[in-house]
Amino acid sequence: MAQRWTGRRQVDDGVRFAPTLTIACLVIAIVLAFLDRPDARIQPLANLRAGFNDLAAPVLELAARPLRGFANTGPWWRNQLALAEENRQLRLQVSELRAWRDVALAGQERNARYREALNLQGPDTGERITAWTVADRSNAFVRSRLVGAGAEAGVRAGFPAVNVYGLVGRIVDVGRSSSRILLLTDLNSRVAVMADRSNARALLLGDNTGQPRLEYLSREPDLVEGDRIVTSGDDNVLPRGLPVGQAFRDSEGRWRVALYSDAAPLDLVWIWPFDAVAVPGAEPDTSAVPELPSGRTVQQEDGVAGASQPATAEGEG
Amino acid sequence: MRANRDRDAVWPSVAAFIVSMLLALVLYTAPSSVGGLPDLTPSLPLIVLYIWAVRRPWFVSPPVILFVGLLQDLISGGVMGVWALAYVAAFAIARPRSDEGAADLGPLTIRFVVLALLAFGFAWGVGSAAIGVPAGAAPLITEAIMTIVVFPVLGWLFARRKERSAMFNSGRGG
């Protein structure tokens, strides 16, 4: 009974696996690896992941708390020197930013007036959601973070995650109280970006290295090293203008991006609620158009729709 | 009566196995790079699995190894089945068949190195197939080296414990 339960057999030279059970386990693992494709994950497996993350997140959060404290540990004198230097730099930045704040406020006010004048419909962004990283086991196959905020906090799949300096990634799996961020460096990450200076468009492709590649550039892209790269919003997945990083050429001459988000640890992130522009349906919904007393619709009355309208006009002509 | 005693002896081991494995998984995925430190976490689940496979050879069965591998896949957010397959295949080839020589750190470590190299090799192959391109070997090599470097510390503690229990049993028998 015990042998059947454990799947191992006691023999003279020790304990052996039951071959059938070993093969069955290998087959199960292969089938799961085949079904659980990151680019086309089936719904039951996605639900299983979300449920598991919800269960694991509180435990992982307990383990992560003391580790967060390590960031502030170290020799007392080293901390003091670092704090003094940081304080000096922050004072400088604050004095510079005061001037920028006035410029930004003036620009915001002017922008609002332009939007009103043009009746510009921008994407809606709601209140940002703060989340702590509870697990960050990135390896050769995946670059992701588990954060302790899920559907209950308003997180939805596709929302961008940023830290103090820039874009970190976007949400892929959402559980009740946890969600997983696919980092920009992950192999499955694709983000439409542009150079802030020249508006040169590109696609930022993660390749499981520290610095993602810029691909699908034009033949002679208007890019120079150090260009600020931001999201372009062309993919209708992320909002336009989120800071991503700085462009540079690697040793092989390919364009890559040094991510701004690397400048700070990813323990605290903000998730921005972002509703992408809805794709228009193939056929307009005519049921919503009110009926006129004569039996004709508003569109027919105005002469802007309906296949018979031009024919009638032709006939009348 | 004896069956009851055996069952009593098993359940503490089951509880200890579950607790140690959960601890290994939690520490493995804890955000160690939070303080800006490099991520040099060894594969603690593999170490714990191996030590238990030596301590209780009949205890770490293929379904248990599969389950631990799946937990590692799920908790790290990777493709399900990669580490599960790597662990089951590695243990099927280089499993510790008995606890003979478990008190000797040298052979214990050599056997673990072989097992770890196989596991990481399989993981690279399966993971690359799963993501569709050859995965970068550097992170896996770093993790494998850290795992092999850290193992003797835990292995030494285990060997000492095994040695003490062997001495205790021989003294009681004499």
Side-chain angles (χ1 to χ4, degrees), chain A residues 16-299:
Chain A
R16 282 189 177 170
F17 286 173
T20 320
L21 200 58
T22 308
I23 292 166
C25 289
L26 287 171
V27 169
I28 290 170
I30 290 168
V31 169
L32 280 172
F34 179 75
L35 289 177
D36 192 34
R37 313 296 292 191
D39 47 348
R41 186 161 283 146
I42 58 171
Q43 198 55 40
L45 286 180
N47 293 341
L48 174 73
R49 281 177 170 280
F52 177 83
N53 289 343
D54 280 345
L55 279 174
V59 182
L60 294 169
E61 167 65 21
L62 282 177
R65 268 184 203 173
L67 285 170
R68 285 187 199 123
F70 277 133
N72 298 319
T73 59
W76 181 86
W77 56 268
R78 199 175 69 192
N79 278 351
Q80 297 310 305
L81 289 176
L83 283 172
E85 175 60 21
E86 192 178 356
N87 199 22
R88 191 184 66 79
Q89 287 187 0
L90 285 173
R91 279 175 190 280
L92 274 172
Q93 282 180 11
V94 166
S95 58
E96 281 175 19
L97 289 174
R98 277 205 185 108
W100 277 109
R101 183 172 172 272
D102 293 339
V103 174
L105 284 173
Q108 189 183 28
E109 192 268 332
R110 195 183 318 136
N111 204 357
R113 269 191 281 143
Y114 286 156
R115 279 173 180 272
E116 199 180 333
L118 294 168
N119 193 24
L120 197 64
Q121 301 296 316
D124 294 331
T125 50
E127 287 262 318
R128 66 186 184 182
I129 301 156
T130 308
W132 285 100
T133 300
V134 294
D136 72 347
R137 189 65 235 164
S138 290
N139 55 35
F141 315 119
V142 66
R143 301 271 175 139
S144 67
R145 295 277 189 280
L146 188 67
V147 294
E152 280 179 350
V155 179
R156 301 282 177 274
F159 283 2
V162 297
N163 72 353
V164 183
Y165 293 102
L167 184 66
V168 170
R170 63 189 164 83
I171 301 291
V172 281
D173 293 329
V174 184
R176 197 168 44 81
S177 58
S178 66
S179 46
R180 193 169 284 281
I181 302 170
L182 188 78
L183 301 184
L184 293 176
T185 50
D186 187 272
L187 195 69
N188 292 293
S189 173
R190 306 275 185 277
V191 176
V193 294
M194 64 181 186
D196 206 11
R197 180 185 56 81
S198 62
N199 279 3
R201 291 325 210 244
L203 207 57
L204 187 74
L205 306 183
D207 56 2
N208 282 0
T209 63
Q211 284 121 2
R213 294 196 317 266
L214 283 175
E215 295 284 348
Y216 301 104
L217 288 152
S218 60
R219 190 164 291 173
E220 289 179 11
D222 188 4
L223 266 182
V224 290
E225 293 212 30
D227 265 355
R228 186 171 177 264
I229 302 295
V230 297
T231 54
S232 68
D234 294 342
D235 50 7
N236 197 25
V237 172
L238 296 176
R240 182 188 167 107
L242 292 176
V244 175
Q246 279 190 333
F248 72 98
R249 278 185 190 274
D250 64 10
S251 56
E252 295 168 14
R254 286 182 303 190
W255 284 103
R256 287 185 178 270
V257 175
L259 298 174
Y260 288 140
S261 56
D262 284 349
L266 301 184
D267 54 340
L268 181 69
V269 294
W270 293 290
I271 298 162
W272 287 95
F274 167 69
D275 292 324
V277 178
V279 179
E283 293 291 331
D285 184 11
T286 51
S287 62
V289 179
E291 285 281 329
L292 291 176
S294 61
R296 290 186 303 174
T297 64
V298 174
Q299 287 171 331

Side-chain angles (χ1 to χ4, degrees), chain B residues 24-61:
Chain B
L25 284 165
V26 166
L27 289 176
Y28 177 68
T29 49
S32 55
S33 58
V34 158
L37 303 168
D39 192 0
L40 297 172
T41 315
S43 181
L44 293 172
L46 179 63
I47 295 175
V48 172
L49 207 54
Y50 176 77
I51 287 177
W52 276 101
V54 177
R55 186 177 156 79
R56 296 271 187 272
W58 52 269
F59 191 80
V60 180
S61 60

